[in-house]
Amino acid sequence: PSCIAIMCHHISPGGEWNDFVLAETLLDTLQRLNYLAPRTLPPLEALAPKVVPLRAGGITRILLRLALDLISAGAVKVCVVTVPRIRTIIEGELGKSGEPTQPLQYLLATLLRTLKSALLSGSGTDTEAAGYSKAKAIVPLMKDLIRHCMPVLPDAAKASQGEHTHSLQFFTESGSAKQFIKSFNSPQWNALLQWADQVASAGTAEERDVCYAIQKQRTKLFDAHEEEVLRCAKGEIAEERRLDETFAAVKREHTAPEVERRAQVMLHMDNHRRNMARLWRRVWRSVSNERAPWGSKEAVQYWKLDKTENLSRMRLKMKRNYHFDGHHGAARSLEDHSSRGPPVEPELKVKPTTGINVVSIEDAEVEDDAVKADGDMQGGEEEEAAGQEKQEKQEKLVFSCSAELVQPMNITPGTLEITTTHMYFHEVIEAGEGVDGEATAQAAVGVAGEEGGAKADEASKTPKELKIPLEQLREVHLRRYLLRRSALEFFLLDRTNYFVNFKKRERNKVYNKIVNLAPPNLSYFETGSPEQILKRSDLTRRWQMRQLTNFEYLMHLNTIAGRTYNDLTQYPVFPWVLRDYSSPSLDLSDPAVYRDLTKPVGALNQERLEQLLVRYENFCDPDIPSFMYGSHYSSSAIVLYYLIRIEPFTTHFLQLQGGKFDHADRMFYSIPNTWNGCVNAPTDFKELIPEFFYLPDILVNHNRFKLGSKQNGEPMDHVQLPPWAASPDEFIRIHREALESDYVSENLHHWIDLIFGFKQRGRNAVEALNVFYYLTYEGAVDIDAIENDDERRATESQIDNFGQTPSQLLRRAHPQRGPVEKSKLSLFSLVSLCTTSRFPVTFSSHPIIFLCVPGATFSEQLVHTVNDRLVAVDEKRLVSLNRLQPHAGGSQPFAFEPDSALASRKRVGIPFHADVEGNASCFATSSDGKLMFSCGHWDNTIKVTWVDGSRPPQSINKHKDLVTCLDVSADGKVLVTGSRDTTLLVWDIVFSKGSPVRLDANPAHILYGHDDEVTCLAVSYDLDVCVSGSRDGTCIVHTLSQGTYVHSMQHPQQAAISIVAVSSLGHIAMYSSEDLTLRLYTVNGRHLVSSHSPERIGCIHISKSASIIVCGNEDGTIVFRRLHDLRVVQRVQLRQRIRCMTPSADEKLLLVAVEDNSVVIIAPDV
């Protein structure tokens, strides 16, 4: 009722009303009647912001519909109140003449149906009374409506039927309400009710049409509104985009450069902190070693293998281990033996995972390492820091990509950057792993504790940083990693190397960028498959001609086939060459002591082989090809098995074994036992590693690790040797001699065919009994094609743990090595087999105090260009350039041509100091023989003189006292000088257009450690060491490239050291003229043997093969000694004082300068 009153109240005088005001009023009313929760609808302003006028007819329909609903559902009181309201609404319609309007007909029909419902509802007395009362309330209005609608009512409802019935008009005009109600069941009323149902249905249909039209109009208006909203939104989005672009442009112009500058500053500061920490560690170690002011000789020192290699790729040196871990508690107890059974066969019987494309080993295509040319690129510490900063400003970034630094048992992810001058590797540290650089620097400079500054690495895990100058690059090799050709290995001038893995497609890009930058010292950058590289090389012919040793040739094959020290799964592989490890002595001329090199290790035992062949023939698996040997001959476990006694491999072994050593009976404790296991055990087929032929330290437990005890209670310590080897050094020497023996030389090609050649794969491998598990072969599986990460990791793990077969180098049988021709052997190889002849030549009027054939000491690349030149200096410092041509035929094995311009030659430098007697240690030549370096002058300078006198000499004064000795490295790039001021200076020789021209103005390093005058020195470019002797009785070893102290050797009587010499295999010969004793040490400071010489030795030379040491005595005797035991092999009497000596480039001649001004040339009698 309130709503009806409100609606009537808001009808305007003109018959129209404001729907906004009405709607607001209705909502407030319904809320008060609790029909709506408080304000659950949005504000009306948002729903109807505009005033929409409605027609009066529409208002009438709305009001009537509301009123009828109230009458139909409301109580009698509501009905009584509502009926007058309805009459008010329709009063205007009832007063009109003519046909009744549709709303009035609909109103009548609805009231009729409501009356029927009221009269028929319920059966109780109360319900009937209520229905009668509601009917009575609406009857007056119904009468008026019937009279008004009479023209449209049906005839059946109008007429009377019978005498007892009255017409409809009677009831509307004179009948009372009671009579009106009682006649409700008459035929007239039934006809009227039928008419009411029809009108109501028609009204409902009309309302449905109206609602549909309203909804359609509403949808149309809504769509139009949405289009307008979208249009406005697009405009706003475009405006926002324009503003964003404007902001981004401003950011790029102003913010981005500042952010980049800040990042560069932070990076520079971080690098500076790390560099300072590194320099401080170096300084602290230099002043705290055993020969330094704050050093202690009583401190226990521990060692680890230095990764520096010599030209034969031997790693001979040990270096100080500042972070030694004794691995206490890693040994297994004796009780553990009962808890575990015998060793389990580490066979690969894992089936390939789903999605792996298994390729037949016989038909596997090994991809070439062909690299296409790049199209875009054809064609003092403060001073050092300042120069480095200047260089950083000049260098530009060329290429950058993600990479992995591969090291034994460690893969470091990071980024490789190539600039115009350097290569950088930056380790990528996950969030939360890095440590602030300032904290690292502070930890590094804290000197408290055992080794100040060295604990920086322990205090924080700073990212690994690698900086390689491009000028240090010597070789770049294409490599594979986990059977994928995706890696590069970089070999540097300092004899170190690094293995970096890339994404497969980026490897060749990096290679092209480096090659196109044309590093000045890059001498090797071959492309193509390993087979093609070997075919293009001259290695096989040189090996056949005995220009390469068996060891050198095998190392070359391993290198070309991708074997590397940086990846334990691809470690270089060498053969077992001996089979006799039980005899008290060994005769290397007896073929019975050698292993059969025509068979793999697994086929050496016929009984075991038959069992393996039965399994091979009966093996049936649809996914795995048949194989004879379930374990490989080379794997990371095998390498660590052999190297367990030296760091860092001890730590690597524990990483592989989960922090514990293996049971002592299963570890490497005996060479004879290991050989027996390889021959007889059902699952042991391992070969050897290169260290068995040059490094005795792998057989000695220098660091005193607690490796446990065997089942019999015997503790594990040093390796048990065969009876024929008295010491580890003797075993290594004999083992290397066996490798170079005639029997091995004649049969080594068979083993090469098995490991690197045509018997490695396919039918030939089956016939040679040389078939291993398929996942060890290159090309057997395409790892990149495996999409599932878990499956790919599982496959990589199998490859990583069980070894890899080397890349195949030969498709045909390897040629056999030729027989030994004595005419092509060196003097030092024949000196123990034949006599020698002497040929004196004279070309000077004064005794010669210095002789040098540049090719005899410098690298092999220069031998063929300068080996006919003989540089000589007499005691008057007059230099002569003579020509010596070996193998010229005739009555003597050489042709000698004296210097024709000797009369016009100038003297070298200035007069010697009064205390100096000119000798060979005061002179050295450059790599091409054109420059002469001299010392011992009275003004304490170093003189650099052009032999031909074409340029003025260079004079450098950096020592504080007399310069007593000097030596040049074999590559001709470094000069080292020693002085009475107890120091040594390391100088870089400056080159121009490939030729040396002068010394650098300032020394690269200053070497300390001696307490008295430096009397002698020797430089080994091959080993990267400088060995110096002093009057204080010490012999000190420094690194040549870094200038760091390594260790020292003390003369037992602290006698002055007169001569030092270094061999290519790391022997250090030390002689003192005070006790006339020649002593031999290893490069790692271990004493080997001593020999007393009754004659005073004036000069020493060690052969390139490190087999013979030649001593020139002052009594005129040339003594040839075996290097390993210093036993005399042959004596040559010249009967005159020997001033100096030097071999020819090919070592077939020995040139000796004697006191009578002549040079005696010694040659073998072949």
Side-chain angles (χ1 to χ4, degrees), residues 638-652:
I638 292 173
V639 175
L640 296 176
Y641 170 85
Y642 288 133
L643 300 178
I644 189 174
R645 286 168 176 81
I646 59 173
E647 287 284 18
F649 299 100
T650 309
T651 301
H652 296 335

Side-chain angles (χ1 to χ4, degrees), residues 25 86 163 254 268 319 326 511 540 708 724 741 755 825 925 1057:
T25 307
I86 294 176
E163 58 181 310
H254 299 285
H268 178 75
K319 66 178 181 179
Y511 184 88
T540 303
W724 44 260
S741 65
I755 305 300
L825 294 179
T925 62
I1057 309 300

Side-chain angles (χ1 to χ4, degrees), residues 827-1123:
L827 168 65
F828 304 112
S829 300
L830 296 170
V831 70
S832 61
L833 304 175
C834 63
T835 59
T836 58
S837 299
R838 288 155 285 178
F839 304 90
V841 295
T842 303
F843 54 87
S844 175
S845 58
H846 301 282
I848 302 298
I849 61 175
F850 175 76
L851 283 174
C852 178
V853 177
T857 55
F858 296 108
S859 56
E860 295 179 359
Q861 290 83 353
L862 299 170
V863 170
H864 303 291
T865 60
V866 298
N867 64 353
D868 62 342
R869 178 175 296 180
L870 174 62
V871 181
V873 180
D874 62 23
E875 64 179 5
K876 298 299 183 180
R877 297 178 287 104
L878 188 64
V879 63
S880 61
L881 298 180
N882 310 281
R883 297 181 67 84
L884 178 69
Q885 295 180 344
H887 322 302
S891 59
Q892 55 189 20
F894 63 90
F896 182 79
E897 180 182 343
D899 187 357
S900 59
L902 181 59
S904 61
R905 298 290 185 191
K906 295 183 179 181
R907 287 183 171 86
V908 175
I910 61 176
F912 293 121
H913 191 278
D915 296 339
V916 174
E917 180 185 7
N919 56 63
S921 63
C922 295
F923 299 95
T925 62
S926 61
S927 56
D928 57 1
K930 295 181 179 181
L931 291 182
M932 180 67 67
F933 307 99
S934 61
C935 66
H937 305 294
W938 61 266
D939 60 353
N940 303 337
T941 60
I942 307 165
K943 304 294 183 183
V944 183
T945 306
W946 286 82
V947 175
D948 58 4
S950 60
R951 300 185 188 182
Q954 180 185 10
S955 180
I956 300 178
N957 188 348
K958 291 294 182 179
H959 281 288
K960 297 179 181 179
D961 206 337
L962 176 67
V963 183
T964 56
C965 53
L966 55 78
D967 194 15
V968 176
S969 63
D971 64 343
K973 295 183 177 180
V974 177
L975 173 73
V976 181
T977 59
S979 171
R980 280 185 181 174
D981 64 7
T982 74
T983 66
L984 297 99
L985 300 184
V986 181
W987 306 84
D988 289 329
I989 299 177
V990 180
F991 280 67
S992 177
K993 298 181 180 180
S995 299
V997 292
R998 60 180 176 86
L999 280 182
D1000 202 349
N1002 296 299
H1005 307 292
I1006 303 176
L1007 310 182
Y1008 300 94
H1010 292 294
D1011 298 329
D1012 205 339
E1013 171 187 343
V1014 178
T1015 55
C1016 55
L1017 66 89
V1019 174
S1020 175
Y1021 162 74
D1022 218 14
L1023 300 174
D1024 188 40
V1025 296
C1026 172
V1027 182
S1028 58
S1030 171
R1031 194 177 297 278
D1032 63 6
T1034 59
C1035 183
I1036 298 181
V1037 180
H1038 291 87
T1039 60
L1040 193 62
S1041 59
Q1042 299 295 327
T1044 57
Y1045 172 89
V1046 181
H1047 60 80
S1048 62
M1049 296 152 285
Q1050 183 75 45
H1051 191 281
Q1053 289 81 38
Q1054 296 185 352
I1057 309 300
S1058 305
I1059 305 173
V1060 292
V1062 184
S1063 77
S1064 59
L1065 293 180
H1067 302 95
I1068 298 177
M1070 182 177 74
Y1071 174 74
S1072 173
S1073 59
E1074 294 184 6
D1075 65 350
L1076 304 181
T1077 302
L1078 181 64
R1079 291 176 170 82
L1080 188 68
Y1081 294 83
T1082 68
V1083 71
N1084 297 316
R1086 184 160 40 86
H1087 180 258
L1088 297 177
V1089 65
S1090 297
S1091 175
H1092 180 75
S1093 173
E1095 305 89 4
R1096 190 181 299 273
I1097 299 175
C1099 52
I1100 289 177
H1101 175 78
I1102 301 178
S1103 65
K1104 291 180 179 178
S1105 62
S1107 59
I1108 297 294
I1109 180 172
V1110 187
C1111 302
N1113 298 340
E1114 292 185 0
D1115 66 351
T1117 305
I1118 296 292
V1119 182
F1120 294 89
R1121 299 172 181 264
R1122 295 190 310 193
L1123 181 61

Side-chain angles (χ1 to χ4, degrees), residues 241-516:
R241 187 181 296 113
R242 186 183 66 81
L243 292 175
D244 289 342
E245 291 176 354
T246 303
F247 178 75
V250 173
K251 184 178 180 181
R252 284 194 301 270
E253 182 178 357
H254 299 285
T255 308
E258 181 63 22
V259 172
E260 183 179 357
R261 187 193 66 81
R262 183 178 183 276
Q264 291 296 330
V265 170
M266 296 299 294
L267 180 62
H268 178 75
M269 292 176 61
D270 193 40
N271 291 335
H272 180 71
R273 292 191 188 103
R274 283 196 293 269
N275 289 335
M276 290 301 101
R278 176 179 55 83
L279 291 174
W280 176 255
R281 286 196 298 270
R282 179 186 298 181
V283 170
W284 178 253
R285 290 171 182 175
S286 67
V287 299
S288 61
N289 62 64
E290 58 185 343
R291 298 293 303 172
W294 290 280
S296 173
K297 296 182 180 180
E298 289 76 20
V300 179
Q301 296 181 355
Y302 298 98
W303 304 90
K304 64 180 179 180
L305 187 65
D306 192 339
K307 64 181 181 180
T308 304
E309 304 173 3
N310 66 2
L311 286 173
S312 299
R313 297 211 63 191
M314 297 179 181
R315 297 186 297 177
L316 296 162
K317 295 190 305 177
M318 308 293 286
K319 66 178 181 179
R320 181 84 175 270
N321 187 359
Y322 289 97
H323 307 288
F324 176 75
D325 183 359
H327 304 297
H328 302 292
R332 297 185 185 273
S333 62
L334 290 175
E335 289 75 11
D336 293 337
H337 289 282
S338 59
S339 63
R340 295 181 60 178
V344 180
E345 177 181 4
E347 289 198 351
L348 284 168
K349 293 185 178 180
V350 183
K351 292 187 177 182
T353 49
T354 307
I356 299 179
N357 181 23
V358 179
V359 184
S360 172
I361 301 301
E362 182 175 359
D363 302 328
E365 291 287 339
V366 180
E367 58 181 313
D368 290 349
D369 269 323
V371 181
K372 297 182 179 179
D374 223 358
D376 59 343
M377 291 196 66
Q378 296 290 339
E381 295 182 359
E382 289 106 355
E383 295 179 1
E384 180 181 355
Q388 181 178 358
E389 184 177 356
K390 181 179 179 181
Q391 188 179 43
E392 290 176 354
K393 292 180 180 179
Q394 293 176 348
E395 67 178 330
K396 297 180 180 179
L397 182 65
V398 175
F399 187 73
S400 176
C401 66
S402 59
E404 295 175 328
L405 181 63
V406 179
Q407 297 170 307
M409 299 297 294
N410 185 29
I411 309 299
T412 305
T415 302
L416 183 77
E417 295 179 351
I418 302 174
T419 70
T420 52
T421 58
H422 289 80
M423 278 196 314
Y424 299 91
F425 178 84
H426 306 284
E427 181 184 3
V428 174
I429 299 294
E430 297 292 338
E433 294 183 7
V435 179
D436 181 59
E438 186 173 356
T440 303
Q442 292 175 355
V445 299
V447 297
E450 176 185 356
E451 198 264 324
K455 296 186 178 181
D457 296 333
E458 302 174 359
S460 59
K461 293 183 179 179
T462 56
K464 290 183 179 179
E465 299 288 339
L466 186 63
K467 179 180 179 181
I468 302 175
L470 292 182
E471 62 182 12
Q472 281 288 316
L473 277 181
R474 178 169 55 89
E475 297 179 10
V476 179
H477 290 259
L478 300 168
R479 287 287 183 254
R480 64 178 186 173
Y481 180 66
L482 294 178
L483 299 182
R484 288 179 291 190
R485 296 199 170 273
S486 59
L488 292 174
E489 191 167 21
F490 304 100
F491 292 81
L492 309 184
L493 291 177
D494 62 1
R495 299 303 180 189
T496 59
N497 48 73
Y498 299 94
F499 190 101
V500 183
N501 185 47
F502 303 91
K503 294 180 180 178
K504 194 171 183 180
R505 295 183 178 180
E506 291 184 341
R507 191 270 301 264
N508 291 353
K509 294 180 181 179
V510 174
Y511 184 88
N512 278 325
K513 299 296 182 182
I514 294 174
V515 173
N516 289 331

